[in-house]
């Protein structure tokens, strides 16, 4: 993926009541990070694909700084996340993760 040798990991759910019964992940063994992920329906139709790039070392971890998510059911539909700044290991108030805070 993107010129890097990767491990291809194919996963199949044991249960039928999951969002994606089959997934395939390409993991870069040098970075220990996924570079590409695909999610499939029960009928084996490709639903979503994610591509990760722009890897950076932060606090001893490798993190992608760019993620593109594509909805394969909608032609030309994608979302791009770009991480401009990141901090790892900083204390966070647990209240940030309450249902009240997580609800729009």
């Amino acid at each position: 993926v993107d010129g890097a040798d990767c491990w291809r990991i194919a996963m199949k759910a044991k249960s039928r009541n999951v969002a994606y019964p089959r997934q395939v992940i390409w993991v870069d063994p040098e970075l220990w990070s996924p570079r590409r992920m695909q999610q499939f329906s029960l009928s084996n139709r490709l639903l979503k694909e994610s591509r990760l790039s722009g890897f950076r070392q932060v606090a001893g971890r490798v993190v992608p700084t760019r993620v593109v998510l594509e909805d394969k059911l909608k032609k030309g539909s994608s979302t791009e996340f770009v991480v401009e700044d990141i901090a790892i290991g900083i204390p966070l108030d647990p209240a940030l993760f309450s249902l009240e805070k997580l609800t729009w």
Side-chain angles (χ1 to χ4, degrees):
V1 176
D2 297 329
D5 289 333
C6 292
W7 295 326
R8 182 179 176 270
I9 302 168
M11 301 177 291
K12 190 173 180 181
K14 292 183 177 183
S15 170
R16 292 183 79 117
N17 64 343
V18 295
Y20 307 112
R22 191 168 83 80
Q23 297 188 52
V24 180
I25 301 175
W26 285 260
V27 176
D28 185 322
E30 304 247 337
L31 301 176
W32 286 95
S33 179
R35 284 189 172 266
R36 182 174 167 198
M37 299 181 285
Q38 293 179 325
Q39 288 84 29
F40 295 84
S41 68
L42 193 56
S43 65
N44 209 32
R45 184 172 183 183
L46 178 59
L47 301 173
K48 298 192 179 183
E49 182 172 72
S50 305
R51 293 183 315 276
L52 296 79
S53 61
F55 296 94
R56 238 174 42 193
Q57 183 103 15
V58 180
R61 299 178 192 192
V62 175
V63 294
T65 60
R66 182 174 182 261
V67 180
V68 177
L69 307 165
E70 287 185 66
D71 183 340
K72 292 300 190 174
L73 299 181
K74 297 178 186 173
K75 188 175 181 174
S77 174
S78 67
T79 301
E80 181 176 1
F81 295 95
V82 177
V83 177
E84 294 178 355
D85 190 30
I86 187 168
I88 295 177
I90 60 171
L92 297 173
D93 181 355
L96 287 172
F97 302 98
S98 69
L99 286 178
E100 181 181 324
K101 293 282 186 180
L102 295 173
T103 304
W104 293 41

